[in-house]
Amino acid sequence: MALSIDYKLTGPGWAECTIADGEQSCTVTASYLSDAFGDLVLSAVALLRWFYALSFSFAEEPGEFRWVFTCKSNNEIELKILDCYDRDRDWPPDEECKLLFQTVFTREMFGNAVLEAGNNLLEEYGEAGYLDKWMDHAFPTDRLNEVAQLLREMPPADE
């Protein structure tokens, strides 16, 4: 199984992210109300540091796309992406959100997918161009470098 993440800045303060696992894909959007790509990179750092569970959201206007990660085994992570739009209240519980995407992958697969997405953004925009287009949040250079370092330190898959 392969995992890929394609992250694009689509306009001032707007982004689109497509995640695919070879069998299915999901595209969600984000506004500058959250540090969407920064949170994606931070989630890769956390998973590579062996966090058991975590979640974050891509903020929308209104609503959110919630990314929920749960450890299934020593190195397998389950991801659910939920559409959590509710006209009547903020922050509905996961159970009341619509499931858009669900897959299982290794920590290393996710880290590599995030690293590639970040390198593609840097190649296209550079740090200054990213900040100019994304507006309120700088490119997460230090965190992306941390992802690369953690991937280099991972033991081979057969150990």
Side-chain angles (χ1 to χ4, degrees):
M1 180 178 87
L3 187 72
S4 65
I5 296 174
D6 183 29
Y7 194 96
K8 295 181 174 152
L9 301 179
T10 57
W14 287 97
E16 178 180 277
C17 180
T18 299
I19 184 167
D21 67 5
E23 295 179 15
Q24 59 180 333
S25 67
C26 177
T27 300
V28 293
T29 56
S31 78
Y32 69 93
L33 294 176
S34 66
D35 185 7
F37 189 71
D39 290 341
L40 188 65
V41 173
L42 187 56
S43 71
V45 169
L47 291 172
L48 290 167
R49 291 194 176 277
W50 296 89
F51 276 51
Y52 178 79
L54 63 102
S55 68
F56 69 91
S57 295
F58 282 5
E60 273 295 314
E61 298 177 27
E64 65 174 312
F65 292 108
R66 191 175 301 159
W67 298 57
V68 181
F69 299 86
T70 308
C71 182
K72 300 308 276 180
S73 69
N74 189 33
N75 194 32
E76 285 191 332
I77 304 296
E78 178 183 64
L79 167 63
K80 293 179 181 179
I81 298 179
L82 309 171
D83 182 351
C84 297
Y85 175 72
D86 187 330
R87 289 184 190 276
D88 300 321
R89 64 186 170 145
D90 292 331
W91 314 109
D94 292 352
E95 306 78 44
E96 294 179 19
C97 298
K98 178 182 176 187
L99 178 65
L100 299 178
F101 182 78
Q102 183 173 3
T103 191
V104 176
F105 46 77
T106 66
R107 296 167 192 275
E108 185 176 17
M109 289 170 68
F110 185 71
N112 280 315
V114 169
L115 182 61
E116 184 175 346
N119 287 336
N120 289 341
L121 282 170
L122 275 177
E123 186 176 313
E124 184 168 353
Y125 299 103
E127 290 180 10
Y130 177 92
L131 179 59
D132 185 52
K133 192 144 181 144
W134 190 238
M135 299 168 36
D136 286 350
H137 305 281
F139 187 83
T141 304
D142 291 342
R143 290 285 187 206
L144 193 64
N145 290 336
E146 189 175 359
V147 169
Q149 181 63 37
L150 289 166
L151 286 167
R152 284 191 295 273
E153 294 171 357
M154 283 196 77
D158 60 338
E159 287 186 14

